[in-house]
Amino acid sequence: MASCWWRWRRGCSWRPAARSPGPGSLGRAGLSGLRAAAAAAARAQVSYFNLVKSLTSAFPNMYSISRFHHMTPAVCCCSKTRSGEKYTDPFNLGWRDLKGLYEDIRKELFISTTELKEMCEYYFDGKGKAFRPIIVVLMARACNIHHNNSRNVQASQRAIALIAEMIHTASLVHDDVIDDASSRRGKHTVNKIWGEKKAVLAGDLILSAASIALARIGNTTVVSILTQVIEDLVRGEFLQLGSKENENERFAHYLEKTFKKTASLIANSCKAVSVLGCPDPVVHEIAYQYGKNVGLAFQLIDDVLDFTSCSDRMGKPTSADLKLGLATGPVLFACQQFPEMNAMIMRRFSSPGDVDRARQYVLQSDGVQQTTYLAQRYCREAVREISKLRPSPERDALIQLSEIVLTRDK
């Protein structure tokens, strides 16, 4: 495979092709397919996106991708809804089932100690995007309607939305300790106000409260699904602490880390509500695949915004990943146009001037554009999956959410 990759590299342009090769479909890429792609690339100008196909073939079930659409940077996945019913904004539609979300979470965190209570409730102030709970309740309704045309969200399904937000928030508290972050959502982090030791304990307490709420649902399958998320979060953090010398392995390593740290929670939360609302394993897989692909796209765009947005807009410092020594999608794509970045990646941008130079290389390359294209491809797959469900306003809202993921600026 290594020789195939180097033959491919010598014969290709790193810029997007002027014309689109067509939308294509996601599928498994075997070694023979990679060789064929390499030979084709040697005869024509192709996008660097094809590199992702070869890099991610090590994870065919999770990351395999065939062709990619380069005609335009437009990110629209779906311009129309197809349910035939009145459609409203996805967030407004989702919030119908999430009234009192943060109050209910604070009830789950019933704590008598004042300081610990303040720490645990610090991020549950209603100022977050609540992106995960919104997806969860919309998926719950979409699956319920698909199964038996039920328009109601079960109490257990709504509980999954709360649990997902609690797990997510606990992971943020712990991440900020590991990263020594000073700001989050436009305010000081828990670790900066109360110290690292207390912040770790606060994150643990939030996670334990989420576990108690999960056990109360009483469904062993759902418990198993969501405990996988916690395992993935830990494994993803360990992946982030490491790096790969081999360029082929480096991108696969990045995508696996992205899945475990971000997409797993969304994918498995969607699967959990589908299990609670519908007995069909096919529907469970649709929900999982939608959540996985939207989750991957969400993080890819987050990595893009680290280079293109401002700190005030993001509510946290930009170029933060470089300062932490992390090579995200834009950096890995840029590295193919500026090979001198390899040394910086391996030393995790620790030498004086590395962060500024790497940022300039990324902005001079097509790394941001290629990462956005990759996110767009994942969103197209999410739309393809969710479109298999019976038409409903909630299903169409999930389609629209995939578009919002690509166009967000914070």
Side-chain angles (χ1 to χ4, degrees):
M1 179 172 175
S3 61
C4 170
W5 147 241
W6 286 113
R7 289 198 305 274
W8 186 94
R9 182 174 180 176
R10 287 197 297 270
C12 296
S13 164
W14 302 115
R15 292 288 178 180
R19 296 182 60 83
S20 167
S25 60
L26 299 189
R28 299 190 176 187
L31 183 58
S32 60
L34 293 178
R35 286 172 177 159
R43 294 190 299 268
Q45 295 292 308
V46 296
S47 161
Y48 174 62
F49 181 85
N50 287 291
L51 171 61
V52 178
K53 178 172 69 176
S54 64
L55 295 181
T56 56
S57 62
F59 301 92
N61 295 324
M62 189 177 295
Y63 307 121
S64 58
I65 300 171
S66 56
R67 293 177 296 162
F68 197 66
H69 186 262
H70 282 109
M71 183 176 293
T72 172
V75 292
C76 178
C77 288
C78 181
S79 60
K80 295 181 180 180
T81 60
R82 297 187 293 276
S83 69
E85 299 184 41
K86 186 177 179 181
Y87 176 76
T88 58
D89 175 79
F91 288 91
N92 290 337
L93 194 61
W95 272 111
R96 293 184 310 174
D97 299 307
L98 292 174
K99 292 177 182 177
L101 168 69
Y102 293 107
E103 291 83 353
D104 290 343
I105 289 176
R106 287 194 287 270
K107 290 176 184 176
E108 295 288 346
L109 294 169
F110 181 76
I111 305 162
S112 57
T113 306
T114 302
E115 184 179 41
L116 191 54
K117 180 180 175 67
E118 289 177 359
M119 292 167 61
C120 291
E121 294 181 355
Y122 186 66
Y123 289 134
F124 298 118
D125 56 3
K127 296 181 181 179
K129 293 184 286 287
F131 178 73
R132 290 154 188 82
I134 291 288
I135 284 186
V136 169
V137 294
L138 289 175
M139 182 62 74
R141 278 184 176 270
C143 290
N144 294 351
I145 291 169
H146 178 83
H147 174 53
N148 59 12
N149 209 30
S150 172
R151 299 280 164 167
N152 299 318
V153 170
Q154 301 171 24
S156 58
Q157 290 175 315
R158 185 179 183 276
I160 298 296
L162 273 69
I163 292 164
E165 186 70 357
M166 293 167 75
I167 292 174
H168 170 59
T169 303
S171 74
L172 295 184
V173 174
H174 286 157
D175 280 356
D176 287 343
V177 173
I178 293 170
D179 300 340
D180 193 27
S182 59
S183 63
R184 166 84 63 182
R185 296 179 179 173
K187 58 184 183 180
H188 292 304
T189 55
V190 172
N191 49 292
K192 285 300 176 185
I193 298 174
W194 287 282
E196 292 185 355
K197 292 180 180 180
K198 290 181 178 179
V200 170
L201 295 174
D204 290 347
L205 188 60
I206 296 170
L207 196 57
S208 68
S211 299
I212 292 170
L214 177 60
R216 205 159 50 234
I217 291 174
N219 186 304
T220 56
T221 301
V222 169
V223 170
S224 177
I225 290 169
L226 285 181
T227 51
Q228 180 64 51
V229 172
I230 299 172
E231 178 184 336
D232 284 343
L233 284 169
V234 175
R235 291 185 182 276
E237 195 61 51
F238 270 95
L239 285 170
Q240 183 165 287
L241 293 172
S243 60
K244 297 287 185 180
E245 289 190 34
N246 183 281
E247 292 179 47
N248 292 14
E249 295 176 353
R250 194 180 288 156
F251 211 104
H253 181 93
Y254 163 67
L255 287 176
E256 185 182 11
K257 180 270 296 182
T258 298
F259 171 78
K260 290 185 181 301
K261 286 201 63 176
T262 302
S264 174
L265 174 58
I266 300 173
N268 284 295
S269 296
C270 286
K271 183 177 181 179
V273 292
S274 73
V275 168
L276 290 168
C278 175
D280 187 354
V282 173
V283 174
H284 305 164
E285 185 63 15
I286 290 170
Y288 178 87
Q289 290 296 329
Y290 173 86
K292 181 194 79 172
N293 283 285
V294 165
L296 287 167
F298 184 93
Q299 186 58 50
L300 288 169
I301 294 300
D302 211 58
D303 294 342
V304 164
L305 292 174
D306 197 45
F307 289 94
T308 62
S309 189
C310 63
S311 298
D312 290 343
R313 190 70 179 158
M314 290 288 285
K316 58 185 178 181
T318 52
S319 296
D321 292 327
L322 287 176
K323 293 170 185 174
L324 291 170
L326 305 179
T328 57
V331 173
L332 296 175
F333 280 118
C335 184
Q336 305 310 315
Q337 291 171 261
F338 299 99
E340 53 267 42
M341 293 181 70
N342 273 306
M344 289 189 278
I345 290 172
M346 290 314 299
R347 63 177 177 257
R348 298 179 74 90
F349 312 103
S350 59
S351 294
D354 275 0
V355 170
D356 290 336
R357 282 198 301 273
R359 180 176 174 81
Q360 287 305 311
Y361 283 137
V362 168
L363 296 178
Q364 291 169 26
S365 73
D366 59 5
V368 165
Q369 185 182 36
Q370 293 286 9
T371 306
T372 303
Y373 284 152
L374 180 54
Q376 185 179 359
R377 194 71 187 124
Y378 280 122
C379 279
R380 284 200 181 111
E381 179 63 8
V383 170
R384 190 183 73 82
E385 288 291 338
I386 201 64
S387 296
K388 297 174 183 177
L389 296 184
R390 178 185 298 181
S392 67
E394 288 76 14
R395 187 204 67 170
D396 294 340
L398 289 168
I399 292 173
Q400 183 68 17
L401 267 179
S402 69
E403 192 171 314
I404 292 171
V405 163
L406 294 170
T407 56
R408 68 191 181 95
D409 59 2
K410 63 178 181 178

